[in-house]
Amino acid sequence: MTDFVFILYLVGLVLVTMFPLSFGPLFSGMNHPFEAYVQLVPFRSILEYLTDLNLHSCIQLFGNIFMLAPLAIYINAFYNWSFKKNLIFVCLFSFGIEFVQGTWDFFNHWPYKKVDIDDVFSNMTGYLLTLFFIPRIKKLYDKL
């Protein structure tokens, strides 16, 4: 049952991060500047979300923070990974998501899911916070 729930989570993760696919003017030859595809200035997006709080910015910010929390729970429930291994994994996993989004946009010539370094920071923050809280939640659960 646990594996089935985890597979559902992974399907949901793919749906949230990759879909809907934007075909825009597929291979129409439109060219956009590099900045339309990539945001590499640390904390720029996060500061924009915090200065213009609305439903969209809250979903973006908190969605990215909590998106990989179930992954942290699953991995650390079944594998005894060190903090370093968890850190490397979440970094590569999050960069992988951004890489796939950016690759699709680049080959499609349509900047839809912008590669954003702040998404990586937010994903990693949520994953690592979850690692921090797992032992504390276990202690509370064991006391019940």
Side-chain angles (χ1 to χ4, degrees):
M1 180 65 170
T2 305
D3 290 337
F4 178 72
V5 172
F6 184 67
I7 289 169
L8 283 178
Y9 162 72
L10 290 177
V11 168
L13 188 62
V14 169
L15 291 174
V16 167
T17 58
M18 302 300 154
F19 292 94
L21 289 176
S22 172
F23 292 97
L26 187 61
F27 304 111
S28 67
M30 287 186 70
N31 291 320
H32 296 277
F34 181 73
E35 296 80 24
Y37 296 97
V38 179
Q39 194 293 107
L40 296 176
V41 179
F43 306 109
R44 175 186 281 171
S45 298
I46 293 171
L47 290 173
E48 286 175 7
Y49 296 148
L50 293 175
T51 56
D52 183 28
L53 274 180
N54 56 48
L55 182 61
H56 176 264
S57 61
C58 288
I59 290 171
Q60 277 293 115
L61 185 59
F62 293 110
N64 277 321
I65 290 172
F66 293 114
M67 185 169 71
L68 298 184
L71 187 60
I73 293 168
Y74 182 84
I75 286 175
N76 290 281
F78 295 102
Y79 305 100
N80 190 20
W81 284 6
S82 66
F83 179 78
K84 182 179 177 182
K85 192 169 187 176
N86 272 289
L87 183 63
I88 292 168
F89 171 77
V90 71
C91 185
L92 292 175
F93 193 88
S94 188
F95 271 112
I97 291 170
E98 295 299 312
F99 177 78
V100 171
Q101 288 176 340
T103 302
W104 175 258
D105 286 354
F106 180 75
F107 285 112
N108 189 21
H109 298 282
W110 193 254
Y112 177 62
K113 298 261 188 179
K114 181 184 273 194
V115 174
D116 192 341
I117 191 68
D118 290 343
D119 290 354
V120 174
F121 293 154
S122 299
N123 292 161
M124 290 177 66
T125 298
Y127 186 98
L128 296 174
L129 281 173
T130 303
L131 285 184
F132 176 77
F133 283 109
I134 287 173
R136 286 141 187 85
I137 293 170
K138 275 185 174 177
K139 281 183 185 176
L140 286 174
Y141 182 76
D142 289 343
K143 287 183 181 179
L144 295 177

